[in-house]
Amino acid sequence: MKYSITMTENVNRIFFEHLIREDGQEDLCFAFYKLSSGKSRKTGVINEVILPEFGDRNVHGNVSFNSVYFDKVTSYALANNLGVCFIHSHPYPGWQGMSFDDIEAEKMLAPRVKAVTGLPLIGMTLGTDNYWSARFWIKEAPNTYERYWCESVRVVGKSLKTYFCDDILPKSNFGEEFKRTISSWGDLKQHEITRLKIGIVGLGSVGSIVAEALLRTGIKNLTFIDFDVVELKNLDRLLAVNRVDVGKFKVDVLKERLLNTELISDLSINAVPFSITEKEGQDAALDCDILFSCVDMPLPRYTLDCLSFANLIPVIDGGIDTNPKEDLSNIDQARWKAHTIGPERICMQCLGQYKPEDAALEMSGELDNPNYIKGLPKNHFINRGENVFGFSLSLAGMEIQQFLSLILKPRGIYYGPKEMDFNTGNIDFEFDNECRNDCGISQGLLGRADEINKSLIINHLAAENSRIKHENSLVNKNNKGFYAFLKESINSLFSF
């Protein structure tokens, strides 16, 4: 199992202002977390800070806390079903290791925290340049707690800043292949970009292009989540997909294609033929630092919206809306929008990317009922499939721009949603980038992690049917191969 930490920019600001002192002395505080459980990684989602009051700790070069402070922390954690983080600062920059005193202090705290909360103690250290290190203390046997370093600590908000443990996620040595890419933003940013774990939900016309672009930006850890198989109707829109791929899972086809480029020697791709609403899809998504939403249905958008705020994972979403003229003599209008949603940004629901009632309708299963679909109007979202590769290409480009802006934030500038109007060629950016004060997603779900995640898992009939279709396709191909072999054998017998 791997481990990581995530927090909002606001929480990080509180930590930094308290822990990094003008007098250069160390300081400490406690915070609380919810656990976010992925397939191969557990993440501490820090959602509250409890700063020391007068008399709660002693600052004397090093720093120590008093029992009253710890009692307040554990009482609050127990009452609110929270895990406990112990955080202290060091008076120098960079990734922070642990002194003998640091280790002894956290070893002393680990069993007490575990006994009260049932969750492992998280220890964190902050350097003067705001560089984080973190670890989980896991109970391995009675009275035995082992330290497991976190692979990353992420600060999420208007931008995404990630601090890595080099021993777990080492820097990559890029060759001539990435020389021009690195020359655009330098080695430091490239090391940050390439170590991110990125998931793409939906490997259709947009997702397949995004996957290609991420590979060629140097991302070496990708997760593809899509239950659909390649069909003939996809061939005009899916990047580098051929007739021989019909019947295969889209995630498998794209994985094979990117691995065959041999551009990154240690490229890792996790192909997940499940819906984001199924446990397998959700578990894979929670292992990621950033998610791309390349879906066109309301339920997966709603699911990603909730996962983003509950687990502090930025989601880069986009959508295309086109209409032909009534007599089909030309296109009438087309527009596409890209945006980044998540903590300290706007959610997809407030942005109007889906309607809650449509997500509820899809969740009910009625959209898998052919008789129900027949009664829906022609302009219902379930009946709208107009799109062309050129529009998907443009939207994928806008989503990649959102991604690079989130990481690079050049000159301290970031931007919110952008929409391209094909008819006029204009790009509109006059959109809200903050949720309503009463938003149930950004206000009600923030940092609640597994508490929310479990409620989002449902049976997905279309995904189940797609996997059955895939199995049947494999059986038919195997049968065809067997019959061809049998026919050839019989013909060879009669040829003598």
Side-chain angles (χ1 to χ4, degrees):
M1 182 61 66
K2 297 174 182 176
Y3 300 93
S4 75
I5 300 293
T6 184
M7 70 184 87
T8 64
E9 287 179 347
N10 184 54
V11 166
N12 179 71
R13 191 178 304 112
I14 294 170
F15 282 143
F16 187 82
E17 291 176 355
H18 169 70
L19 293 169
I20 304 305
R21 301 169 57 99
E22 290 185 3
D23 61 12
Q25 297 188 84
E26 296 182 6
D27 211 331
L28 60 75
C29 67
F30 286 91
F32 305 103
Y33 76 91
K34 288 281 190 178
L35 197 62
S36 174
S37 305
K39 176 73 173 177
S40 62
R41 185 178 75 179
K42 291 188 181 296
T43 298
V45 180
I46 300 178
N47 48 27
E48 292 186 65
V49 182
I50 180 168
L51 296 178
E53 298 176 334
F54 180 78
D56 281 344
R57 92 289 198 198
N58 302 305
V59 178
H60 41 72
N62 292 330
V63 62
S64 60
F65 61 88
N66 299 327
S67 60
V68 174
Y69 186 21
F70 184 67
D71 289 344
K72 284 191 294 187
V73 169
T74 52
S75 296
Y76 187 84
L78 180 62
N80 295 278
N81 194 28
L82 295 166
V84 172
C85 305
F86 174 61
I87 303 111
H88 71 283
S89 58
H90 280 170
Y92 45 85
W95 189 90
Q96 304 296 312
M98 298 181 72
S99 67
F100 175 81
D101 289 341
D102 294 339
I103 295 171
E104 290 301 302
E106 293 187 8
K107 273 189 173 182
M108 176 271 292
L109 285 174
R112 300 182 186 186
V113 168
K114 177 72 172 178
V116 173
T117 67
L119 293 168
L121 171 73
I122 290 176
M124 300 181 67
T125 313
L126 179 66
T128 53
D129 56 351
N130 208 150
Y131 207 106
W132 285 101
S133 68
R135 53 255 158 212
F136 277 60
W137 288 89
I138 305 297
K139 185 176 183 179
E140 300 286 12
N143 301 316
T144 303
Y145 288 79
E146 295 293 336
R147 177 187 62 185
Y148 290 85
W149 286 104
C150 293
E151 62 182 12
S152 65
V153 177
R154 301 181 302 283
V155 178
V156 184
K158 294 295 190 288
S159 63
L160 173 65
K161 180 62 180 175
T162 306
Y163 305 93
F164 297 99
C165 175
D166 290 347
D167 288 342
I168 301 175
L169 289 175
K171 297 176 182 178
S172 295
N173 294 316
F174 288 104
E176 186 70 20
E177 301 90 340
F178 283 92
K179 182 177 180 180
R180 294 189 178 184
T181 296
I182 296 172
S183 70
S184 298
W185 44 65
D187 288 330
L188 289 178
K189 278 298 178 182
Q190 186 65 26
H191 289 315
E192 184 178 345
I193 288 171
T194 194
R195 288 186 282 185
L196 291 170
K197 298 183 174 183
I198 300 184
I200 304 174
V201 183
L203 270 293
S205 57
V206 176
S208 59
I209 303 172
V210 167
E212 185 87 17
L214 291 174
L215 170 73
R216 298 183 187 281
T217 308
I219 304 299
K220 62 178 184 179
N221 195 312
L222 291 165
T223 294
F224 297 159
I225 304 171
D226 192 327
F227 61 83
D228 218 350
V229 297
V230 177
E231 299 180 68
L232 284 172
K233 66 180 181 181
N234 304 137
L235 296 186
D236 66 336
R237 290 181 292 171
L238 286 182
L239 183 66
V241 172
N242 304 309
R243 287 184 180 273
V244 295
D245 298 317
V246 172
K248 298 178 183 177
F249 284 124
K250 292 177 181 177
V251 294
D252 289 338
V253 174
L254 265 295
K255 175 180 179 177
E256 182 180 7
R257 166 176 166 70
L258 296 195
L259 289 175
N260 285 341
T261 64
E262 298 183 353
L263 182 60
I264 299 176
S265 60
D266 54 348
L267 176 64
S268 173
I269 300 177
N270 181 23
V272 184
F274 289 85
S275 168
I276 188 64
T277 65
E278 297 178 291
K279 186 179 187 305
E280 294 85 350
Q282 183 185 110
D283 285 351
L286 295 177
D287 284 341
C288 298
D289 304 326
I290 300 175
L291 293 169
F292 278 82
S293 166
C294 302
V295 296
D296 56 5
M297 296 290 280
L299 180 55
R301 274 204 169 108
Y302 166 76
T303 302
L304 285 164
D305 222 4
C306 295
L307 290 175
S308 175
F309 285 87
N311 301 278
L312 310 190
I313 300 174
V315 173
I316 299 170
D317 178 63
I320 300 173
D321 180 29
T322 68
N323 291 107
K325 295 182 71 172
E326 287 190 12
D327 62 1
L328 299 181
S329 62
N330 200 346
I331 193 169
D332 183 50
Q333 66 84 27
R335 55 174 59 91
W336 43 91
K337 181 192 290 183
H339 37 268
T340 303
I341 63 105
E344 302 187 18
R345 287 176 177 255
I346 196 168
C347 74
M348 280 190 266
Q349 189 175 125
C350 287
L351 193 57
Q353 289 305 107
Y354 66 88
K355 296 178 181 178
E357 57 268 29
D358 288 339
L361 176 62
E362 189 179 354
M363 191 180 298
S364 72
E366 287 287 8
L367 296 183
D368 295 315
N369 181 354
N371 292 326
Y372 181 83
I373 294 175
K374 285 180 183 178
L376 295 174
K378 289 184 178 181
N379 63 351
H380 191 271
F381 69 84
I382 194 67
N383 292 320
R384 300 187 63 181
E386 305 94 346
N387 189 15
V388 296
F389 185 80
F391 297 161
S392 298
L393 185 66
S394 182
L395 174 59
M398 290 177 70
E399 289 194 21
I400 292 296
Q401 290 167 13
Q402 290 276 337
F403 162 69
L404 291 175
S405 173
L406 179 71
I407 306 302
L408 301 173
K409 201 176 179 182
R411 300 188 182 184
I413 299 171
Y414 68 89
Y415 47 77
K418 290 191 173 186
E419 183 178 81
M420 172 73 179
D421 187 326
F422 176 66
N423 291 25
T424 64
N426 295 328
I427 295 179
D428 186 10
F429 52 87
E430 298 294 331
F431 297 98
D432 291 334
N433 201 21
E434 294 182 358
C435 289
R436 303 185 306 268
N437 291 332
D438 62 345
C439 174
I441 291 180
S442 63
Q443 302 300 316
L445 306 185
L446 189 66
R448 291 171 63 183
D450 284 348
E451 179 186 348
I452 299 301
N453 300 338
K454 296 173 184 177
S455 68
L456 299 172
I457 296 173
I458 63 170
N459 293 327
H460 198 293
L461 183 59
E464 293 170 3
N465 289 337
S466 181
R467 290 190 290 273
I468 292 171
K469 185 190 302 183
H470 176 260
E471 290 299 319
N472 291 338
S473 175
L474 289 179
V475 170
N476 290 335
K477 286 182 179 178
N478 289 336
N479 286 342
K480 286 180 181 178
F482 172 74
Y483 290 131
F485 169 76
L486 186 61
K487 182 178 179 180
E488 183 179 342
S489 298
I490 292 173
N491 289 338
S492 64
L493 286 174
F494 285 101
S495 65
F496 288 102

